[in-house]
Each structure stands twice: as structure tokens, then as C-alpha cells.
Amino acid sequence: MVPLRLAAAVGLGLLLGGCAAEDEGDPILPPKDAAAPPRLARPLGAAVSARPAREDRDYLRAFASNFTSMTPENEMKWAIVHPDRDRYAFGEADALVDLGRGLGKRVRGHTLVWDLQLPKWVSERDWEAPELRRVLVDHVKTVASHFRGRVAQWDVVNEPFLPSGRLKKNVFSRVLGPGYIALAFRAARSADPRAKLFLNENYSEHPGPKQDALVRLAASLRRRGVPLDGVGLQSHTTAESAPGAARLARTMRRFARLGLDVEITELDVALARGASLGPQARAYGAAARACAAEPRCTGLTVWGVTDRWSWIGADKRPLPLDGRGRPKPALGALKDAF
Ligand code: G3I
């Protein structure tokens, strides 16, 4: 079903002679020239940002035509949706969620609690524990309620660990201790009982202390009845250091054995200058094959749409579509595996 806001905008656009609204928070109109996305065995997602979605037709068409799931890249983060203590600002996140749902995509919410992209009113204050606990719970419940029924999954807590496997010392862990994680999951479940709740972490695809710590935390949350449904493996990597399918499959099994879903949430494969595209395609293919072979793997998302707008820089050519939205061998490898 086309959301009401979107339908109204399309109508208005026609009245105004086809001009699309471009301002922050205004609807982002779906492209008219998109192909139908492929039918795939698992959701294949992309992180989407409002600015390129508004400014770059190749980007929007590439997203609409090739992917079946969307993660807003920045627009749901704390600093953006809750910039002042007494003000929430959902405009850009709503515009993306409406776009994604209007195009029939699954939407992953990213992210409720993270120590980056946190507004200064949270990160730079000396909190007493009871007050910060109230602020955290209020934030999680308000955001998760706002998107209830529209977001299929949430990255509830993002990147809690250091490479050593110790918990990061962020404002939440310093003031509330490690219990901030369970608190966030419980608040998210109470606000949106149907969304799948994920713990999302980077650089834990390879075996090592961080992966072990993530397994221990996931197991302990499950044991204590904390509502954790899945673990997200971000998978920012390079063509040289990307894990093979067997290694990724073993990693996923560790979480699946705990009764959890697992998902590759932020895959990108950076290339050195002049490097050929073959190894990159093999890295993408390996990740998708590992996911396709694991019954608990519920999807794979790439972190961006086209190389032009990648957070790591267009020169790294890290995505499965080039700067103009043309498919690279990596896209074929993903689709073949799914
Ligand atoms: O939109 C503002 C713009 O108004 C301003 O003029 C400009 C000047 O710096 O900044 C723009 O915001 C930037 C934003 O991306 C949108 O482009 C921020 O500075 C920049 O910090 C932000 O970077 C994002 C990064 O998270 C922040 O840590 C990346 O786009 C985003 O891809 C990246 O995503 C993270 C995941 O959320 C978590 N896992 C790692 C992943 C990659 O770092």
C-alpha cells in the first residue's frame, strides 16, 4: 500500500507540474524508471541516505531496482532523531521509511543506542544513573513506538565492544554499567513487540576476542530472558581480508546455536587503487553463500547503494554498483547466491 504522505506528495507534485519536493522531511518520490527487483530467497538490503536519494536519480533507481530491504544509513541515529532533550525530529527517517515501504522493501531500523552520532546533550553531561536510565528508556521507547509496524528489525545496541572484547567505556556503560544493554532491549520490546531486536557489531566476522565476547553477551542475554532475537555482523572489509564462506558460516553457526537469527548488516568490500573487480565479487559471493546456507540467516545488507556515495569514499569502489548505479560483478555474485 502506498503510504498516505507519499500519495499526497505525488498528487501535489503532479499539480505543480511534476516538481518533486526536495526539502528536509518532505517525501522522497519513488523513481518512475525502476525495474522490478529480483525475486530472491533472502532479503538483500542496502543502506540508503536521504540526501543522495533526493539528489541522485541513478542512486535511487539502483536501490529500487536491485534491493528488497532498506536500512536508513544515518537518519534514525540519536543525534538526528532526538537532537535536543525535549525535541524529536523524525522527518528524514519518515521520508526514507515511507519510500522503502512504498517500494515494497523490508525496513531495518538503525540504531537505537550507540556511542557515536550521539548529541552533546547526552554525551557531554555528568549524569546521575537514575536520570540517564530514564533518558535512555524514553529515547528507545519513543523512537521504537514511532516506527512500530513499519520497521521489521531494530539494531537496538550498536558496537558495544572494543577489539579486545571488553565493553567500550561510553556514557551509558560508565554511568549505568553493562546493564544498559539489557535495559535498551527491554524498552525496545515493550514499545514494539513484533520487531526483531538485534545486537549489531563490527569486525567480529573473524574468530577472536571480539567474536567470543559477542557470543558470551548474546548467550547471557538469552539466559536472562532479555528479548534479543538476533545478531548483526556488520562486515566492513577489504578484498584482501574478507572472510571466506566457510569462516563466515562457522561464525553464523555460533549465534544460530544460541537460538538466534543472524544477519549480515553492513557489508562493503573496499578495493585498492587499480585493483580488479574479481576478488571483490568473490568476497560478496562468499558472504551471500554463507548466509544462504545458514537457516537462521535472515538477510544481507550492503552499506550504501552506489560507489559514489559510500561512506569510505568513492575511490575505494566498495559497493556492488558503480558510481552511476551500473551493476558490478559483485551484484551478480550476490544475486546468484540468493
Ligand atoms: O549531513 C551532514 C552535513 O550536513 C554536514 O555538512 C557534513 C559535514 O561533516 O556532515 C554530514 O553528516 C555526515 C553524515 O555521515 C552524512 O553524510 C557526518 O559528518 C558523518 O559523520 C556521517 O558518517 C556516517 C558514520 O556512520 C558516522 O559514524 C556514515 O555516513 C555512515 O555510513 C556510518 O555508518 C556506520 C554505521 O552507522 C555503524 N557501523 C559503521 C558504519 C560505517 O562507519
Side-chain angles (χ1 to χ4, degrees):
M1 201 180 71
V2 178
L4 204 56
R5 286 157 47 88
L6 193 57
V10 174
L12 185 65
L14 290 175
L15 272 178
L16 296 176
C19 302
E22 294 268 351
D23 291 340
E24 193 168 293
D26 281 347
I28 302 171
L29 301 182
K32 293 198 182 72
D33 50 354
R39 289 173 181 277
L40 300 170
R42 308 276 161 104
L44 178 62
V48 179
S49 270
R51 185 174 154 210
R54 291 182 191 286
E55 290 180 7
D56 179 349
R57 296 189 60 76
D58 293 335
Y59 177 100
L60 192 55
R61 190 185 329 102
F63 167 65
S65 308
N66 293 295
F67 297 96
T68 58
S69 173
M70 162 200 276
T71 306
E73 185 171 346
N74 288 299
E75 290 74 1
M76 291 174 158
K77 291 170 181 173
W78 194 316
I80 297 173
V81 293
H82 195 177
D84 304 307
R85 189 163 180 176
D86 55 359
R87 184 168 70 92
Y88 284 88
F90 290 117
E92 288 298 72
D94 278 334
L96 281 178
V97 170
D98 287 351
L99 170 75
R101 289 177 54 76
L103 289 166
K105 316 295 186 196
R106 179 190 75 160
V107 178
R108 298 195 80 250
H110 174 82
T111 171
L112 295 169
V113 182
W114 188 24
D115 56 312
L116 294 183
Q117 285 174 292
L118 201 55
K120 289 196 175 125
W121 72 265
V122 180
S123 58
E124 290 187 359
R125 180 174 160 152
D126 277 334
W127 295 97
E128 297 292 333
E131 193 181 7
L132 184 61
R133 195 174 294 121
R134 277 197 300 277
V135 164
L136 177 74
V137 168
D138 171 75
H139 174 80
V140 170
K141 284 191 175 175
T142 304
V143 179
S145 305
H146 180 84
F147 294 104
R148 185 170 47 227
R150 296 191 287 157
V151 162
Q153 304 185 341
W154 272 108
D155 290 332
V156 177
V157 173
N158 192 46
E159 300 171 21
F161 287 112
L162 293 166
S164 64
R166 298 177 70 86
L167 272 190
K168 274 187 199 163
K169 284 204 190 327
N170 60 37
V171 61
F172 305 111
S173 63
R174 271 200 314 272
V175 179
L176 303 175
Y180 86 90
I181 296 175
L183 190 68
F185 276 92
R186 292 200 163 103
R189 177 65 98 231
S190 78
D192 186 349
R194 297 180 61 177
K196 296 281 186 200
L197 305 182
F198 277 68
L199 177 63
N200 198 41
E201 187 51 278
N202 60 14
Y203 309 114
S204 7
E205 301 78 48
H206 293 279
K210 200 174 199 181
Q211 186 183 104
D212 293 343
L214 193 60
V215 171
R216 278 197 302 274
L217 173 61
S220 129
L221 293 171
R222 293 285 285 178
R223 243 188 344 264
R224 290 183 285 139
V226 176
L228 170 73
D229 299 307
V231 167
L233 302 168
Q234 293 187 5
S235 308
H236 295 288
T237 187
T238 63
E240 296 81 45
S241 57
R247 176 166 281 192
L248 267 173
R250 280 195 296 276
T251 301
M252 290 184 184
R253 265 287 93 199
R254 293 189 78 184
F255 298 103
R257 260 192 245 115
L258 300 173
L260 292 166
D261 288 339
V262 63
E263 186 137 343
I264 295 177
T265 50
E266 303 187 14
L267 180 61
D268 48 25
V269 182
L271 289 177
R273 186 182 295 275
S276 67
L277 298 178
Q280 180 184 60
R282 285 193 282 283
Y284 271 99
R289 281 200 312 282
C291 179
E294 170 52 63
R296 298 302 303 255
C297 182
T298 52
L300 180 155
T301 293
V302 304
W303 203 244
V305 179
T306 63
D307 283 340
R308 176 175 169 200
W309 296 92
S310 163
W311 72 285
I312 334 180
D315 59 321
K316 303 285 190 314
R317 299 174 290 147
L319 290 165
L321 294 132
D322 76 6
R324 292 178 49 196
R326 292 171 301 201
K328 293 159 63 180
L331 189 71
L334 287 172
K335 288 182 177 170
D336 286 351
F338 272 19

